[in-house]
Amino acid sequence: MEQIAIISDIHGNLEALNTVLKDIRKRGIKRIFCLGDIIFKGIHSSECIRLIRDNCEVIIKGNCEDYFNKDILSSNPSDRTKWNNKFLSKEDKEFISNLSYSYEFYMSGSLIRLFHANPFLIAKATSTFDTLERKYEMFLHSENTISDKIADIVIFGHNHTPLLDKLYNRILINTGSVGDSTDIIRNDKKDGNVKLTTKATYLIIEGEYGSMEYKDALNFQFVNLVYDIDKEIASWNDDFEFLEYKNELYNGKYRDMEKIKKQLKERGVDVDTI
Ligand SMILES: [Mn+2]
């Protein structure tokens, strides 16, 4: 059986990416697939693009790649375009603008589909709190998917929080994040384990790659790695300061938590009792 490493949401964090790549190499895993959000937040976005290009066989576009290449298409200046021009080369921008939306393959008889967040929208993923119907939409095909089949297994990123959910005999998996691991459901009363939620996280799948027969095993493993957050932050130079990102790295606390809480409350979820 073959193992494939699936990594996502690196966000320019070179220390976290190097730690993950080293671990994958140590395990002898040859195939690495990346689900996007290589860039933005961390200063090392260009170096991360280089490493991903050198190491990954499949590279999917994330919402950050989608957003940051917009200056190629438009002359409309924005803060993000300024950030983009400061940290990415022309070649980087061309590269991220040409990434594919999704990828799919068979493994041990199951059709596995990959995308950054959702088959229909690049920046909207399902979460633990969604209804079964909303989660089921993740398995449907769209104009962005390669085939028009309903997937058996969907693997996505975007939320920065690992998830494994089984529904209607299908499997929904979030890989977690390499460079910006956060726990979106953590609250001040029951605040979880900060040291766990800020580790570099990725997924290993194991099975018969390319096989449409159900006869072989299919296994999943989440890997959580300690990496040197202090070293990553110390490498930021003086003109780069993203306090929210620093807070995410040190505390695993998502910057938009208040917004998410509000959205969840509107959907009837009492986040304080989770
Ligand atoms: Mn992301």
Side-chain angles (χ1 to χ4, degrees):
M1 285 201 294
E2 186 182 345
Q3 290 187 317
I4 301 175
I6 307 191
I7 67 175
S8 190
D9 294 86
I10 293 96
H11 284 290
N13 187 333
L14 188 61
E15 200 54 34
L17 180 58
N18 275 326
T19 303
V20 163
L21 291 175
K22 201 172 144 197
D23 187 74
I24 292 169
R25 234 171 274 134
K26 204 175 74 191
R27 291 169 190 263
I29 299 172
K30 299 281 182 302
R31 253 182 245 276
I32 309 174
F33 296 170
C34 174
L35 305 187
D37 275 15
I38 306 162
I39 63 160
F40 186 57
K41 296 192 185 182
I43 192 169
H44 301 294
S45 291
S46 192
E47 292 98 317
C48 288
I49 289 177
R50 171 55 49 206
L51 275 172
I52 293 293
R53 290 180 76 164
D54 289 348
N55 289 282
C56 297
E57 190 177 312
V58 170
I59 309 169
I60 301 288
K61 186 185 281 190
N63 56 298
C64 286
E65 284 80 36
D66 192 46
Y67 204 91
F68 280 90
N69 70 40
K70 289 291 191 284
D71 68 322
I72 295 171
L73 310 170
S74 150
S75 56
N76 205 0
S78 72
D79 286 347
R80 290 193 174 192
T81 303
K82 271 184 229 152
W83 184 94
N84 175 345
N85 288 334
K86 198 165 170 183
F87 293 108
L88 301 181
S89 68
K90 192 170 170 285
E91 194 197 340
D92 290 337
K93 284 187 265 183
E94 274 167 18
F95 176 73
I96 62 173
S97 69
N98 289 317
L99 296 173
S100 13
Y101 191 99
S102 74
Y103 183 70
E104 59 192 59
F105 56 96
Y106 279 89
M107 194 171 212
S108 301
S110 291
L111 176 65
I112 303 183
R113 182 173 286 143
L114 313 176
F115 41 70
H116 183 67
N118 177 299
F120 305 97
L121 296 162
I122 202 161
K124 194 179 189 320
T126 190
S127 78
T128 308
F129 307 103
D130 278 330
T131 60
L132 213 52
E133 286 73 16
R134 275 176 89 148
K135 285 179 184 171
Y136 187 69
E137 284 175 10
M138 294 287 277
F139 297 92
L140 303 179
H141 73 90
S142 74
E143 60 181 16
N144 302 312
T145 59
I146 291 169
S147 79
D148 59 3
K149 292 187 169 69
I150 295 179
D152 299 307
I153 298 167
V154 157
I155 302 177
F156 67 108
H158 190 64
N159 289 343
H160 300 198
T161 307
L163 168 84
L164 195 150
D165 205 347
K166 195 151 188 191
L167 64 159
Y168 297 138
N169 221 13
R170 297 175 196 277
I171 302 174
L172 190 59
I173 301 175
N174 190 309
T175 61
S177 164
V178 170
D180 190 21
S181 223
T182 55
D183 185 347
I184 60 163
I185 65 165
R186 187 143 50 84
N187 58 56
D188 294 334
K189 287 177 199 153
K190 298 174 183 174
D191 69 352
N193 183 344
V194 169
K195 290 200 164 55
L196 176 71
T197 57
T198 55
K199 281 179 189 170
T201 304
Y202 75 98
L203 177 81
I204 296 171
I205 56 173
E206 183 183 50
E208 209 54 56
Y209 183 58
S211 171
M212 293 174 80
E213 288 184 70
Y214 275 113
K215 64 184 174 69
D216 297 297
L218 184 55
N219 306 312
F220 309 101
Q221 181 185 3
F222 288 105
V223 181
N224 294 294
L225 300 167
V226 173
Y227 72 97
D228 197 338
I229 295 175
D230 290 335
K231 192 176 164 196
E232 179 64 24
I233 289 175
S235 71
W236 296 357
N237 58 28
D238 290 344
D239 68 349
F240 180 77
E241 194 172 321
F242 193 163
L243 289 174
E244 287 173 338
Y245 184 41
K246 204 174 196 172
N247 188 35
E248 287 173 19
L249 292 187
Y250 275 135
N251 305 313
K253 195 167 183 177
Y254 190 56
R255 69 190 184 288
D256 284 342
M257 195 57 222
E258 289 312 311
K259 198 174 93 188
I260 287 173
K261 273 187 180 173
K262 201 168 149 260
Q263 287 168 350
L264 291 173
K265 275 179 183 160
E266 280 165 13
R267 277 156 46 191
V269 179
D270 182 0
V271 286
D272 294 327
T273 62
I274 292 161

